[in-house]
Amino acid sequence: GAGVSQTPSNKVTEKGKYVELRCDPISGHTALYWYRQSLGQGPEFLIYFQGTGAADDSGLPNDRFFAVRPEGSVSTLKIQRTERGDSAVYLCASSLEQYGGYTFGSGTRLTVV
Amino acid sequence: QKEVEQNSGPLSVPEGAIASLNCTYSDRVSQSFFWYRQYSGKSPELIMSIYSNGDKEDGRFTAQLNKASQYVSLLIRDSQPSDSATYLCATLRKGRPGTYKYIFGTGTRLKVLA
């Protein structure tokens, strides 16, 4: 597609439930990133994929968070046993290589009630 | 100390004025700097990148970098109400071996008054 696509755009879930957030990057972009943005804050790094592998997952806050990119294109961020503190906008970005600018998707607003 | 620091604002300027947005960073080895614009409820959009000391101009935007002072700024000339947004400063930092990632500041909210 022309841009980075994220689905769903909004997700409301109950505390303790499992959620999956999907990112479809720009075609041909091998680098894919997940960031989390809380209100009034800048985006916070979660994980970076180069191709199919998670090259840097140091930003994942704990083992409830996991992400995959099995075919080197679409990525899914998975959150188990959601907590109210997980509420944020989850942003996905892709780029041709690591050193330049990213193109961000429109984000998924996750609300845990 | 945060790695990338910005004044959260809001910074209010009249239409037609120059808006000056500032950013400082703590990691002296940082080499690459980026300015993103984020409209309320939207995702960040890259507007400028700068890698060398000095000024870089693109239309109404000028990015300035001073590595000795660890300072990056963005000037917006002839500010328009449509420039009202949050401006995020970011630097590229090394992550796990062979990887890099953006570290963002908290952003400065700019309001251009008509």
Side-chain angles (χ1 to χ4, degrees):
Chain A
V4 178
S5 175
Q6 290 189 248
T7 54
S9 55
N10 278 284
K11 176 72 176 177
V12 180
T13 191
E14 291 180 347
K15 180 174 176 296
K17 298 290 189 183
Y18 167 84
V19 295
E20 288 190 352
L21 312 180
R22 176 190 166 105
C23 172
D24 196 346
I26 291 172
S27 179
H29 281 193
T30 56
L32 185 147
Y33 306 81
W34 284 98
Y35 279 77
R36 176 170 70 174
Q37 188 172 25
S38 301
L39 194 63
Q41 301 297 312
E44 173 193 6
F45 172 78
L46 295 176
I47 187 168
Y48 159 57
F49 286 92
Q50 180 58 43
T52 59
D56 186 349
D57 63 356
S58 61
L60 295 177
N62 51 59
D63 61 7
R64 295 188 297 106
F65 288 75
F66 189 71
V68 295
R69 193 186 186 198
E71 297 176 357
S73 178
V74 171
S75 176
T76 304
L77 178 65
K78 308 180 181 194
I79 310 174
Q80 298 177 319
R81 305 183 304 280
T82 51
E83 299 177 356
R84 291 197 180 88
D86 298 335
S87 297
V89 175
Y90 288 80
L91 294 165
C92 176
S94 71
S95 65
L96 278 171
E97 43 84 33
Q98 295 187 76
Y99 312 108
Y102 301 171
T103 300
F104 281 90
S106 53
T108 294
R109 182 176 298 277
L110 175 67
T111 304
V112 182
V113 297
Chain B
Q1 181 189 11
K2 288 186 177 179
E3 188 160 346
V4 179
E5 298 223 40
Q6 297 180 258
N7 187 318
S8 60
L11 172 68
S12 295
V13 300
E15 184 175 358
I18 296 175
S20 178
L21 303 159
N22 304 315
C23 170
T24 58
Y25 60 95
S26 61
D27 188 348
R28 194 166 279 280
V29 303
S30 294
Q31 296 292 320
S32 307
F33 302 89
F34 304 84
W35 283 98
Y36 280 79
R37 177 176 61 199
Q38 187 172 28
Y39 291 113
S40 182
K42 302 296 184 183
S43 58
E45 170 194 13
L46 179 67
I47 52 173
M48 290 284 286
S49 59
I50 187 165
Y51 307 100
S52 304
N53 274 329
D55 295 2
K56 178 181 177 183
E57 188 175 316
D58 184 359
R60 294 187 298 113
F61 298 97
T62 299
Q64 299 176 317
L65 174 59
N66 183 326
K67 291 186 179 180
S69 301
Q70 296 177 232
Y71 177 89
V72 193
S73 65
L74 179 70
L75 302 179
I76 306 175
R77 287 181 299 282
D78 188 25
S79 295
Q80 301 297 309
S82 59
D83 295 326
S84 298
T86 295
Y87 289 80
L88 296 161
C89 174
T91 184
L92 206 57
R93 172 155 72 81
K94 284 186 178 179
R96 294 254 164 89
T99 73
Y100 291 84
K101 56 195 173 189
Y102 276 157
I103 303 299
F104 286 89
T106 56
T108 298
R109 191 155 63 95
L110 173 66
K111 296 173 75 172
V112 180
L113 307 172

